[in-house]
Amino acid sequence: MNKDTLLIAGKNYNSRLLLGTGNYKDFAETQAAVEASGAEISTIAIRRSNIGQNPNEPNLLDILPPSKYTLLPNTAGCYSADDAVRTLRLARELLDGHSLVKLEVLGDPQSLYPNVVETLAAAKTLVAEGFQVMVYTSDDPIVARQLEDIGCVAIMPLASLIGSGMGILNPWNLQLIMERVQVPVIVDAGVGTASDAAIAMELGCDGVLMNTAIAAAQLPVLMASAMKKAVEAGRAAYLAGRMPKKLYSASPSSPTQGLISRPTA
Amino acid sequence: MISVSINGVTRHFDTPVNVVTLLEQMQMGGKRIAVECNGEIIPRGQFDQHLLADGDKLEIVVAVGGG
């Protein structure tokens, strides 16, 4: 375990990159991408079993064993607090009592923007039932604080819309969120390429969760390794403390004395 | 004869069956699944005791890829 670990709900993680498992070509690509990313936490979705399917068909959990990965069941596709709560109760049963979950309640099927009112309601119920809730939300700093007050273990604001690849659209709101909450802030949604992930980490975010940025890349496994480096680089840059930005500086990085063709005294 | 909705599809059974038998009939025995009946989770340990009743609504779910 390195020294700069990500602490979520009492457990330390080396990797600050969290990975979704959706939309890969097949399980082999999913597994290769997760490995290349170095992610230790992976989201999964809960869906009706296709009854009558080939009973020998491989299952996602065969390539992502709960013994090796921290699985984060999500509530993707839920538009009400009730559906989200039911989904996570099923997920907890499916995963033998595992209680670390990702809550998301959507408000609109086109934009996939979160419905924060339903999200707050679902979070209250889930926390009361003993779930450890990592909550996907908008970049509203007031809502973020309310979700923390309810007892969520991580706040996961969007950088931009799910699957949009638009990157960090409002770094100022992310900064407001980080000023106000004590639990980890993990950017979730909208990351498109490596620089987006690095920027999130440079802002001081505790981690980044992404899926489409890797799954929809031309070469997903290569992008996964790029993202691993980006999150590490951004984090190191943040810890290193960047130089200030200024309009101009009269201090060049080379000496001002001893220039040739200058008259001496 | 009882009618039960399973994952949104109505199925008929001559006699009430328990969840173990149901899963076997659907070739899902041994798969990692979770079951909800009329909004309540049926714990795995109670599959053999829980008998389906007429009008029951079941959800049987698995883990799949998602972000």
Side-chain angles (χ1 to χ4, degrees):
Chain A
M1 197 60 59
N2 72 46
K3 284 193 296 223
D4 180 41
T5 53
L6 171 60
L7 178 62
I8 301 175
K11 188 170 170 193
N12 283 297
Y13 300 89
N14 279 315
S15 171
R16 292 176 178 272
L17 175 54
L18 291 65
L19 205 50
T21 55
N23 289 344
Y24 293 96
K25 195 174 69 186
D26 50 34
F27 280 162
E29 189 177 81
T30 308
Q31 185 170 36
V34 172
E35 273 176 28
S37 74
E40 294 163 290
I41 302 173
S42 244
T43 60
I44 59 172
I46 304 295
R47 291 288 179 269
R48 284 172 166 172
S49 174
N50 289 344
I51 292 153
Q53 238 177 6
N54 177 0
N56 296 320
E57 197 170 303
N59 182 270
L60 177 67
L61 300 189
D62 296 332
I63 57 145
L64 285 183
S67 54
K68 190 174 166 205
Y69 293 95
T70 296
L71 297 179
L72 207 55
N74 72 20
T75 59
C78 291
Y79 288 81
S80 70
D82 192 56
D83 282 349
V85 170
R86 281 175 63 203
T87 299
L88 292 178
R89 285 177 185 149
L90 279 160
R92 182 158 62 175
E93 177 62 24
L94 186 79
L95 295 175
D96 305 321
H98 175 78
S99 60
L100 186 69
V101 295
K102 169 174 163 174
L103 169 64
E104 60 187 286
V105 186
L106 306 181
D108 169 54
Q110 190 173 35
S111 68
L112 303 179
Y113 205 85
N115 177 333
V116 297
V117 173
E118 287 292 296
T119 302
L120 285 158
K124 279 196 192 104
T125 306
L126 292 164
V127 168
E129 290 184 13
F131 287 93
Q132 300 171 310
V133 181
M134 298 177 66
V135 58
Y136 169 66
T137 179
S138 67
D139 59 0
D140 181 327
I142 307 300
V143 170
R145 183 57 186 265
Q146 289 175 333
L147 288 165
E148 182 187 47
D149 289 344
I150 284 169
C152 292
V153 301
I155 305 300
M156 307 210 290
L158 52 77
S160 49
L161 299 181
I162 292 171
S164 70
M166 299 272 276
I168 318 282
L169 291 183
N170 194 337
W172 314 111
N173 275 32
L174 288 180
Q175 239 176 285
L176 287 175
I177 291 173
M178 286 186 283
E179 276 176 20
R180 278 154 180 72
V181 315
Q182 310 291 317
V183 294
V185 175
I186 294 170
V187 164
D188 178 12
V191 167
T193 190
S195 48
D196 299 331
I199 288 169
M201 298 309 293
E202 286 169 14
L203 286 171
C205 295
D206 298 283
V208 183
L209 199 163
M210 65 179 71
N211 193 154
T212 309
I214 293 178
Q218 304 287 324
L219 299 176
V221 177
L222 183 57
M223 183 60 86
S225 79
M227 289 298 187
K228 176 175 193 273
K229 294 174 195 173
V231 169
E232 287 170 359
R235 178 65 178 174
Y238 170 73
L239 292 175
R242 65 156 295 152
M243 61 171 280
K245 282 187 190 179
K246 26 194 172 172
L247 184 56
Y248 52 78
S249 160
S251 2
S253 44
S254 307
T256 52
Q257 303 295 315
L259 285 154
I260 62 169
S261 70
R262 282 282 193 282
T264 42
Chain B
M1 164 100 127
I2 62 166
S3 294
V4 175
S5 164
I6 301 175
N7 287 356
V9 176
T10 305
R11 288 168 191 270
H12 307 285
F13 299 89
D14 293 330
T15 54
V17 294
N18 66 27
V19 175
V20 174
T21 309
L22 174 72
L23 293 174
E24 272 164 14
Q25 280 184 15
M26 301 189 146
Q27 300 193 291
M28 288 166 54
K31 272 175 95 170
R32 192 190 271 266
I33 50 104
V35 178
E36 182 205 71
C37 182
N38 301 333
E40 307 271 324
I41 302 286
I42 309 296
R44 204 169 301 145
Q46 288 174 25
F47 280 179
D48 56 347
Q49 292 149 49
H50 187 91
L51 283 178
L52 301 186
D54 190 44
D56 275 351
K57 280 196 178 131
L58 263 71
E59 296 285 352
I60 305 178
V61 298
V62 293
V64 301

